[in-house]
Amino acid sequence: GAGVSQSPSNKVTEKGKDVELRCDPISGHTALYWYRQSLGQGLEFLIYFQGNSAPDKSGLPSDRFSAERTGGSVSTLTIQRTQQEDSAVYLCASSLIVGDSGAVWETQYFGPGTRLLVL
Amino acid sequence: KNQVEQSPQSLIILEGKNCTLQCNYTVSPFSNLRWYKQDTGRGPVSLTIMTFSENTKSNGRYTATLDADTKQSSLHITASQLSDSASYICVVTSYNAGNMLTFGGGTRLMVKP
């Protein structure tokens, strides 16, 4: 079965340009996360979508970053006026959240990431 | 093929008990291994980072071990608390392969009173 896919796998852009990253989650997964990992750093949470609820945008580092999820499936992360510090691996994960006696269980499935380099 | 396998997939323990989570990997070349704790809908919190030369590292009630020869890591939680209920994710990084990240499937821990 198909896992989470991301495109492009690599992106080199010039400072000041806009970029758009795409994530195709696993079909039927209601939750979708965007993260990034800069060289030498840990995972940084960016944004979380869950069903039809308003997304949790608390991790977006600046207003140059935005994300949307159309039809509860495909998500795009847009970075406007890219800066060199935006260079990182951008990861998407989807999950199916299930409840059990008040507890919530979740398994995240990660995509391969998009490696963004801003020159 | 680079893989990270975590076990058990899920675990239920009583408050106050200890538990150990396992992470086996086949990633090469190896740069570092991180354990994260993540609540649903929240960002992951890095618990420890282990490099090739480190065998044991502690962070409060969390102790991580790494055996680079057998490519195994463990996360031991001592005196569990209800707030430890979360997913624990093992991630292996390979910088030499273009900052490649390989994720384990996670262990879902539930601590019950």
Side-chain angles (χ1 to χ4, degrees), chain A residues 6-13 17-23 34 64 66-68 70 74-82 90 114-116:
Chain A
Q6 291 185 245
S7 61
S9 54
N10 295 280
K11 177 72 177 178
V12 181
T13 190
K17 300 286 187 182
D18 297 351
V19 295
E20 192 172 275
L21 312 180
R22 178 187 169 106
C23 172
W34 280 100
R64 296 186 295 103
S66 62
E68 60 179 29
T70 54
V74 173
S75 178
T76 54
L77 175 69
T78 301
I79 308 173
Q80 295 177 309
R81 306 180 301 282
T82 52
Y90 288 81
T114 293
R115 284 148 192 78
L116 174 66

Side-chain angles (χ1 to χ4, degrees), chain A residues 33 35 43 103 105-106 108 115, chain B residues 36 38 41 98 101 108 110:
Chain A
Y33 298 77
Y35 306 93
L43 281 178
W105 296 98
E106 176 187 35
Q108 287 186 59
R115 284 148 192 78
Chain B
Y36 291 91
Q38 185 172 22
L101 305 168
R108 286 147 296 290
M110 182 187 296

Side-chain angles (χ1 to χ4, degrees), chain B residues 6-77:
Chain B
Q6 288 189 245
S7 61
Q9 198 171 41
S10 61
L11 182 63
I12 300 175
I13 62 173
L14 294 177
E15 185 179 14
K17 297 296 185 182
N18 304 336
C19 66
T20 300
L21 315 180
Q22 297 291 339
C23 175
N24 298 340
Y25 61 94
T26 60
V27 177
S28 181
F30 172 88
S31 295
N32 60 58
L33 182 151
R34 286 182 186 265
W35 282 95
Y36 291 91
K37 175 187 177 187
Q38 185 172 22
D39 296 312
T40 299
R42 315 297 289 180
V45 174
S46 180
L47 299 175
T48 66
I49 178 170
M50 309 289 287
T51 56
F52 186 86
S53 59
E54 296 175 305
N55 300 120
T56 304
K57 185 176 285 187
S58 292
N59 177 5
R61 293 180 297 102
Y62 301 102
T63 299
T65 65
L66 176 68
D67 186 332
D69 292 329
T70 61
K71 299 187 175 182
Q72 296 180 324
S73 177
S74 67
L75 180 70
H76 185 74
I77 304 174

